[in-house]
Amino acid sequence: MRNFADLRLDNTYARLPEAFHARAEPTPLPDPYGVSFNTAAAALIDLSPAVEERGEWVQLFSGNHSLPGADPLAMLYAGHQFGHYVPQLGDGRAILLGEVRNLAGETWDLQLKGSGQTPFSRGFDGRSVLRSAIREYLCSEAMHGLGIPTTRALCIVGSDLPVQREEVETAATLVRMAPTHVRFGTFEVFYYRQQHEHLRTLADYVIEHHFPELREAPDRYPRFLTEVSTRTAQLMARWQTVGFAHGVMNTDNMSVLGLTIDYGPFGFMDDYDPGFIPNHTDVAGRYAFDQQPGVGMWNVGRLAQALIPLMSLEEAQAALDAYEPAFITRYTELLRAKLGLREAREEDVALIGELFGLLHTNHADFTRFFRALGGFKQDPADANALIRDLFIDWAAWNAWADRYRERLQAEGSVDTERQMRMDAVNPKYILRNYLAQNAITRATEHRDYSEIDRLLVLLRNPYDEQPEMEEYAAPPPDWGKRLVVSCSS
Ligand code: AMP
Ligand code: MG
């Protein structure tokens, strides 16, 4: 187990050509205080849990002290935002401090978000507010708990420094961790600038560090693209089956590792609504819940376009063509598991389609429904009242339940065994907006950070029954149903 003094940061990204980044020092936060420290993320870089108590992290990650070996920089990227190409974005409020190699030989980027202006800030303040830092911190750990690929979060440091958003809020920094923060937009910037040698250098760098199995392959570039394509498709399948909407799926917010990245105005659905739009500024619903799989593919198309100088059109097309089957395969696999079906049968598509229709028209809670379905009893004498009560139209539910019962009987399903399988894939606890909001209100109005830590622990094991935490599985109270979240963070 290590202490901060034992971390020797390297920064391989800093050794890439100058065009890839800009040197940037964090602007210290005045009078910083610790808000939350995540020992689970600390363990990824072998940090002893004792470092939390000692508190150096508050100075280190407010930009007041620096880590040995740090070579801080802002990464350059561009991206398609809401369908339009924006030629220069880059880390406007994040700084890559460097990489840590853990004892298992894995490397983790440490990125300090909200640490002040960089050469890519485009006139904005380079800060994050405590509210948005809490949302990202909790959601990335919640996604990890669900088993969904994501960036991680090490800690939040706060300060009373005022930051102007729709209202005046206070500043915070968040330490984000990922094997790499390279985005689709990191490739796009060199394609549109016609810097094809940089494009190749970036592809070689990403393959060398993150797709080592492709290093020696003569067709490594198309295989890399195919890998990004299928990982993105699989990520979308994961999001769709837990009711997660990202909110801003611009290509600068798409990870080449297929990780969920850049948590802004995201949301988990409460009532099932395929048109759910978490981001209230996305009026047209470009990034509505049911658009995500298609948008993921469109985004992979933008990456394919950017990689054309490295491969033939046919190879790029073949990589893109891998997306849809990868999505459908993983999505149907996950849906069958959610319904507790072991066998694949042709009629399943219709059975599932009808269920989704019912959930929608009855405004049934997505998470509570699937969790409850695990307890479905095949005995026709059992009314399955706990599930039925989630529906307004009982007759419609009963009709579907009869078909479901027949389907289960057809594969000789055993209730107790099936429930165990279903509970392992249908979470009991998700980061509902109102839960995050409670933690934010306590933090911003009362300097009470205990709710953040409570949620962090709860959401590490979202599939477990945690009887003393039962109330956290409740549907939102009226005030928590349509909370407005915007891009402003
Ligand atoms: P996001 O919507 O958070 O993914 O950010 C889109 C782009 O705007 C990225 O290049 C960010 O670095 C930049 N950005 C967002 N907020 C700020 C801010 N407060 N200061 C500087 N740059 C920002
Ligand atoms: Mg972003």
Side-chain angles (χ1 to χ4, degrees), residues 100-113:
V100 180
R101 180 177 292 274
N102 68 16
L103 298 171
E106 303 160 340
T107 55
W108 287 92
D109 275 7
L110 295 189
Q111 207 196 54
L112 188 58
K113 198 168 168 183

Side-chain angles (χ1 to χ4, degrees), residues 7-126:
L7 294 186
R8 281 279 165 276
L9 265 57
D10 188 12
N11 199 339
T12 54
Y13 210 80
R15 296 197 286 277
L16 290 171
E18 261 176 51
F20 284 61
H21 43 66
R23 289 295 189 284
E25 290 293 332
T27 310
L29 276 181
D31 305 316
Y33 41 82
V35 171
S36 185
F37 186 87
N38 179 11
T39 49
L44 296 172
I45 47 173
D46 311 311
L47 281 173
S48 145
V51 304
E52 178 177 3
E53 305 278 292
R54 284 203 292 272
E56 316 109 288
W57 57 278
V58 175
Q59 294 303 323
L60 286 169
F61 299 125
S62 56
N64 286 282
H65 293 173
S66 64
L67 280 163
D71 190 359
L73 60 83
M75 292 167 75
L76 171 73
Y77 53 84
H80 279 82
Q81 299 198 314
F82 291 89
H84 304 284
Y85 185 66
V86 181
Q88 191 187 302
L89 293 161
D91 292 330
R93 54 152 160 192
I95 288 176
L96 176 61
L97 298 175
E99 304 149 17
V100 180
R101 180 177 292 274
N102 68 16
L103 298 171
E106 303 160 340
T107 55
W108 287 92
D109 275 7
L110 295 189
Q111 207 196 54
L112 188 58
K113 198 168 168 183
S115 53
Q117 288 180 319
T118 76
F120 303 130
S121 296
R122 298 176 296 152
F124 300 110
D125 58 16

